[in-house]
Amino acid sequence: GAVVSQHPSRVICKSGTSVKIECRSLDFQATTMFWYRQFPKKSLMLMATSNEGSKATYEQGVEKDKFLINHASLTLSTLTVTSAHPEDSSFYICSASGGVSRGYEQYFGPGTRLTVT
Amino acid sequence: RKEVEQDPGPFNVPEGATVAFNCTYSNSASQSFFWYRQDCRKEPKLLMSVYSSGNEDGRFTAQLNRASQYISLLIRDSKLSDSATYLCVVDGYNKLIFGAGTRLAVHP
């Protein structure tokens, strides 16, 4: 299967600061990347879908000004949690899709555990 | 009603047991269905896709019932390493919709 990396794997930050999470597809070009959030014992919730070179599409209830997504290249997307608060503490997972050439399958990154103190 | 519903479990079974999970989905227009496995504090990994005709991969069998809008996963001869959370996933408008997962614990 394809490889997707995320960095950092774990981050602790203070309330009010911003945190950037990177998602990279290492061995294929990702036409679309997805960002999910998962709270303990809950399902993965899609936050936004991003296509390379265009603005991300956010799911209902997700603040686009708080969760900034940039998909500048076919191998990199970033999620910036701005002015983080304790309620933003969660497991953030990205996935990457290679589109029709890879059967639209999504390959997941290993996730980033964010703790806001 | 949730888009994808699963019994959260946990299912506690001995090694060698057969266990079955069910999942229901609300969007009758969904075309693709999957089972993912997620270990504690890890990302989900694709276990198998689910086809209309049903499909089997070793000890794992998946079934789809479109009329009733439910999907099942059967695990035979459970191993300790099968302990994980199993996520039912349905495609919906070009995005994946995840169930909350069913937790399986296999004990010696």
Side-chain angles (χ1 to χ4, degrees), chain A residues 16-86:
Chain A
T17 60
S18 295
V19 175
K20 180 186 281 189
I21 302 170
E22 291 187 350
C23 177
R24 293 180 185 273
S25 57
L26 299 183
D27 54 356
F28 70 102
Q29 293 187 325
T31 51
T32 306
M33 285 186 169
F34 304 85
W35 286 96
Y36 296 84
R37 181 168 52 181
Q38 185 177 33
F39 292 107
K41 298 187 179 181
K42 300 291 185 183
S43 58
L44 270 74
M45 296 300 296
L46 180 65
M47 299 174 67
T49 302
S50 76
N51 293 298
E52 184 263 340
S54 60
K55 287 184 179 179
T57 302
Y58 289 81
E59 295 299 301
Q60 194 172 13
V62 178
E63 300 173 57
K64 62 180 180 181
D65 294 330
K66 180 170 179 64
F67 299 99
L68 302 178
I69 291 172
N70 184 284
H71 192 165
S73 76
L74 285 171
T75 59
L76 173 64
S77 176
T78 60
L79 167 68
T80 301
V81 183
T82 63
S83 186
H85 288 98

Side-chain angles (χ1 to χ4, degrees), chain B residues 1 3-4 12 15 26 30 38 42-44 55 57 69 73 76 82 85 99:
Chain B
R1 183 186 170 186
E3 292 182 270
V4 179
N12 293 301
E15 275 186 287
S26 61
S30 295
Q38 186 173 26
K42 299 283 188 182
E43 78 276 21
N55 48 303
D57 182 2
Q69 292 180 211
L73 176 68
R76 288 181 299 277
D82 293 334
T85 297

Side-chain angles (χ1 to χ4, degrees), chain B residues 23-85:
Chain B
C23 160
T24 57
Y25 61 95
S26 61
N27 184 0
S28 60
S30 295
Q31 295 296 317
S32 302
F33 310 90
F34 311 91
W35 283 102
Y36 277 74
R37 169 194 170 128
Q38 186 173 26
D39 292 290
C40 188
R41 302 173 83 85
K42 299 283 188 182
E43 78 276 21
K45 292 186 188 293
L46 180 63
L47 181 65
M48 58 198 305
S49 301
V50 187
Y51 304 117
S52 296
S53 54
N55 48 303
E56 187 173 310
D57 182 2
R59 298 181 293 109
F60 300 85
T61 301
Q63 298 276 357
L64 168 64
N65 184 321
R66 284 188 185 272
S68 302
Q69 292 180 211
Y70 94 60
I71 307 152
S72 65
L73 176 68
L74 182 77
I75 305 176
R76 288 181 299 277
D77 189 22
S78 300
K79 311 289 184 194
L80 294 175
S81 57
D82 293 334
S83 297
T85 297

